[in-house]
């Protein structure tokens, strides 16, 4: 029988240090990094002359990882866009946290803000979208005390 296990999500970025710092500030842990290039990398990416830096970060509980990738070559034809939350395709990742309001305050102090408002959803979750570097959207969710 075949097995399936979610491994990671790849995120292409321009400022690798800024994006990695953002996720580390959220509580992710740096797992490693590497420079990747060569024929095998070209064939996997379907591009010629790939030269990229990769930084892996993971949730502290091991539930998920992000592969942050900065392509030095070849260059992309377009810049990052700050698309709205309803744009088709992968749009955001969700992270369950404790102390959502404190985290949002810290992120705002670092120059990041929410996309909309911080709101409670049906007395179950406290939720918000935060726009990180390069337009990335991260949903923060905190389970409310049900007592």
């Amino acid at each position: 029988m075949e097995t399936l296990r979610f491994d990671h999500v790849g995120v292409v970025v321009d400022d690798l240090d800024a994006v990695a710092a953002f996720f580390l500030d959220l509580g992710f842990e740096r797992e490693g990094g590497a420079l990747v290039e060569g024929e095998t990398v070209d064939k996997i990416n379907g591009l010629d002359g790939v030269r990229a830096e990769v930084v892996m970060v993971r949730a502290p509980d091991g539930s998920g990882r992000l592969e942050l990738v900065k392509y030095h070559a070849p260059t992309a034809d377009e810049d990052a866009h700050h698309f709205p939350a309803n744009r088709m395709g992968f749009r955001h990742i969700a992270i369950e946290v404790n102390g959502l309001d404190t985290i949002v305050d810290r992120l705002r102090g670092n120059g990041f803000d929410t996309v909309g408002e911080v709101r409670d959803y049906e007395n179950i979750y406290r939720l918000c979208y935060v726009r990180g570097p390069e337009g990335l959207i991260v949903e923060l969710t905190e389970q409310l005390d049900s007592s």
Side-chain angles (χ1 to χ4, degrees):
M1 173 179 233
E2 294 181 24
T3 61
L4 178 73
R5 180 185 68 83
F6 186 82
D7 187 71
H8 71 271
V9 172
V11 182
V12 177
V13 303
D14 186 47
D15 190 337
L16 186 59
D17 292 335
V19 175
F22 174 77
F23 284 104
L24 293 174
D25 192 36
L26 281 173
F28 279 72
E29 297 171 352
R30 187 181 172 113
E31 200 169 69
L35 180 64
V36 297
E37 58 189 332
E39 182 181 358
T40 300
V41 175
D42 288 357
K43 296 296 183 192
I44 291 168
N45 281 269
L47 298 168
D48 292 323
V50 172
R51 184 171 184 272
E53 284 179 81
V54 176
V55 171
M56 296 297 289
V57 295
R58 68 173 166 76
D61 68 353
S63 62
R65 298 185 310 160
L66 296 175
E67 176 187 54
L68 308 176
V69 183
K70 161 66 175 170
Y71 283 88
H72 295 284
T75 57
D77 294 336
E78 61 183 54
D79 293 328
H81 300 283
H82 291 248
F83 293 125
N86 65 347
R87 173 73 181 224
M88 298 258 308
F90 290 109
R91 197 56 240 135
H92 72 274
I93 64 167
I95 301 168
E96 189 171 342
V97 300
N98 289 318
L100 186 142
D101 293 323
T102 302
I103 292 168
V104 168
D105 288 345
R106 185 177 70 239
L107 291 172
R108 285 179 171 150
N110 291 333
F112 303 106
D113 204 355
T114 57
V115 173
E117 299 176 6
V118 176
R119 299 295 297 246
D120 291 352
Y121 179 75
E122 296 186 0
N123 296 318
I124 301 169
Y125 292 103
R126 187 155 181 77
L127 304 165
C128 70
Y129 284 172
V130 174
R131 189 171 307 274
E134 301 179 17
L136 298 172
I137 296 176
V138 175
E139 178 182 353
L140 300 178
T141 177
E142 181 174 31
Q143 192 162 4
L144 297 173
D145 185 13
S146 59
S147 54

